[in-house]
């Protein structure tokens, strides 16, 4: 591209900025890397104003530096790590590739059946290393034991980027002692404006990972009580292809995709994300819920 740099260098910075504003954040960076003519235009507020969402939500006080940021600086700040919203119950960040708004709903922001009853659920504080690594919430909800498991999070579609495909993920892990989170499977669903958009089965007491050969492998997590209590034979649990399994991260947390939906132009509806297991009649314990992430999906 530098071979044609003489012709590009004849264009004004305003014209180059206009060209870059019609690309994407990664493309703007590539152009600056291969052509000196684009380098100055890449820092232009004109370019990064186009990459930033039109209606950014109000952020919690102290999230942004006191010194004013350029548009590029603001984009990088919001795409490098989540930023808390007022109330510290929801955080948001920008997708690095598209600039689309993504969110995480804290455990306290969601409706959890019996969630305020200490006999069934308790709030636990997270370690400072976990909070700092994710710049997120300081607590999670731990299931002490219920027959009826129901977790629901909601967000309004106007808080999301239009013309974007989204997926919802529950971020969680299992306590040292957990029980009956393998079968019956949990049901995950997403509704937009009260109309079901996605429904699937998930299994929280299992995970999938790619082997050294690149082939995905499924694993059931065995609880510590299995040797002492009657329990479903884990080897017989039908983990068919239509059952969504979590993936584990290096920090010990897991995430499972609960479903996906499309946020169209002008959509003005409530998006509801739900995970439940209410029909099996089994006592469940040991689930630790950090939150629900709603982020863009290709």
């Amino acid at each position: 591209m530098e071979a044609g740099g003489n012709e590009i260098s004849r264009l004004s910075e305003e014209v180059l900025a206009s060209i870059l504003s019609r690309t994407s954040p990664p493309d703007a960076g590539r152009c600056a890397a291969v052509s000196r003519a684009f380098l100055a235009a890449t820092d232009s507020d004109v370019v990064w104003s186009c990459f930033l969402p039109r209606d950014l939500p109000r952020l919690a006080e102290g999230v942004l530096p006191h010194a004013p940021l350029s548009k590029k600086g603001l984009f990088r700040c919001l795409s490098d790590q989540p930023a808390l919203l007022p109330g510290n119950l929801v955080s948001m960040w920008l997708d690095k590739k598209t600039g689309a708004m993504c969110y995480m709903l804290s455990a306290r922001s969601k409706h959890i059946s019996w969630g305020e009853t200490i006999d069934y659920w308790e709030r636990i504080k997270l370690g400072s290393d976990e909070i700092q690594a994710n710049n997120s919430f300081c607590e999670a909800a731990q299931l002490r034991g219920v027959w009826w498991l129901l977790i629901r999070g909601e967000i309004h579609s106007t808080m999301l980027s239009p013309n974007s495909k989204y997926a919802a993920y529950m971020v969680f892990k299992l306590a040292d002692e957990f029980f009956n989170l393998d079968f019956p499977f949990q049901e995950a669903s997403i509704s937009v404006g009260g109309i079901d958009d996605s429904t699937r089965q998930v299994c929280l007491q299992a995970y999938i990972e790619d082997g050294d050969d690149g082939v995905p492998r499924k694993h059931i997590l065995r609880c510590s009580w299995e040797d002492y209590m009657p329990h479903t034979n884990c080897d017989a649990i039908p983990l068919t292809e239509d059952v969504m399994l979590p993936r584990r991260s290096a920090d010990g947390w897991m995430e499972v995709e609960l479903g996906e939906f499309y946020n169209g132009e002008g959509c003005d509806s409530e998006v509801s994300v739900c995970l439940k297991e209410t029909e099996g009649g089994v006592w469940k314990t040991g689930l630790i819920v950090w939150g629900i992430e709603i982020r863009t999906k290709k």
Side-chain angles (χ1 to χ4, degrees):
M1 185 171 179
E2 196 60 60
N6 289 336
E7 295 182 5
I8 295 176
S9 63
R10 295 173 186 167
L11 300 175
S12 67
E13 184 177 322
E14 290 75 14
V15 171
L16 294 175
S18 178
I19 294 171
L20 290 173
S21 68
R22 289 165 171 78
T23 63
S24 67
D27 288 338
R30 295 186 191 102
C31 289
V34 300
S35 174
R36 288 189 296 271
F38 278 113
L39 191 56
T42 304
D43 291 330
S44 169
D45 277 355
V46 172
V47 174
W48 293 92
S49 292
C50 295
F51 297 154
L52 286 166
R54 292 192 300 268
D55 299 312
L56 277 172
R58 188 165 63 92
L59 304 178
E61 190 171 341
V63 167
L64 297 178
H66 291 296
L69 291 171
S70 66
K71 298 297 184 183
K72 183 178 181 179
L74 179 59
F75 185 95
R76 285 186 169 178
C77 182
L78 295 179
S79 60
D80 283 345
Q81 60 183 3
L84 290 169
L85 273 57
N88 297 337
L89 298 179
V90 178
S91 64
M92 69 83 60
W93 69 96
L94 300 181
D95 182 272
K96 288 180 179 290
K97 294 182 178 180
T98 65
M101 292 182 286
C102 306
Y103 292 86
M104 185 173 183
L105 313 178
S106 68
R108 191 173 286 276
S109 74
K110 297 189 296 294
H111 167 74
I112 300 178
S113 289
W114 306 105
E116 301 302 321
T117 306
I118 191 63
D119 290 341
Y120 303 116
W121 288 87
E122 64 178 325
R123 308 289 176 178
I124 61 172
K125 296 294 183 181
L126 299 176
S128 58
D129 54 337
E130 293 174 308
I131 299 170
Q132 292 173 1
N134 296 275
N135 194 31
S136 196
F137 318 113
C138 62
E139 68 174 22
Q142 178 167 338
L143 174 62
R144 302 186 71 179
V146 292
W147 302 96
W148 179 288
L149 177 65
L150 192 151
I151 301 170
R152 179 181 292 112
E154 295 180 338
I155 189 170
H156 203 276
S157 61
T158 53
M159 296 180 67
L160 305 172
S161 296
N163 301 320
S164 299
K165 183 179 181 181
Y166 281 90
Y169 303 82
M170 190 171 80
V171 182
F172 72 100
K173 62 182 176 181
L174 301 181
D176 293 336
E177 293 185 348
F178 54 87
F179 192 58
N180 274 345
L181 295 170
D182 49 2
F183 196 81
F185 299 134
Q186 299 81 35
E187 179 185 283
S189 62
I190 294 181
S191 64
V192 180
I195 300 174
D196 288 342
D197 213 56
S198 171
T199 301
R200 62 180 55 167
Q201 289 183 314
V202 303
C203 180
L204 299 180
Q205 197 177 312
Y207 67 96
I208 188 169
E209 66 177 354
D210 295 328
D212 295 336
D213 55 2
V215 178
R217 288 179 170 80
K218 301 175 181 179
H219 304 273
I220 291 286
L221 296 168
R222 293 182 177 274
C223 65
S224 59
W225 298 355
E226 283 182 17
D227 295 334
Y228 307 102
M229 298 182 66
H231 188 60
T232 303
N233 180 4
C234 290
D235 295 329
I237 294 176
L239 291 179
T240 54
E241 293 301 319
D242 60 335
V243 178
M244 186 66 67
L245 300 184
R247 285 189 174 270
R248 295 205 293 188
S249 58
D251 60 8
W253 291 90
M254 297 192 285
E255 67 171 35
V256 60
E257 184 179 316
L258 303 179
E260 58 186 45
F261 63 98
Y262 185 78
N263 190 49
E265 184 74 40
C267 184
D268 187 8
S269 302
E270 200 74 31
V271 179
S272 177
V273 182
C274 182
L275 175 85
K276 66 179 181 179
E277 199 295 289
T278 58
E279 299 179 359
V282 295
W283 182 256
K284 298 166 278 288
T285 187
L287 174 65
I288 301 175
V289 180
W290 196 347
I292 292 178
E293 285 192 357
I294 299 175
R295 60 181 192 255
T296 51
K297 183 178 182 181
K298 293 182 180 179

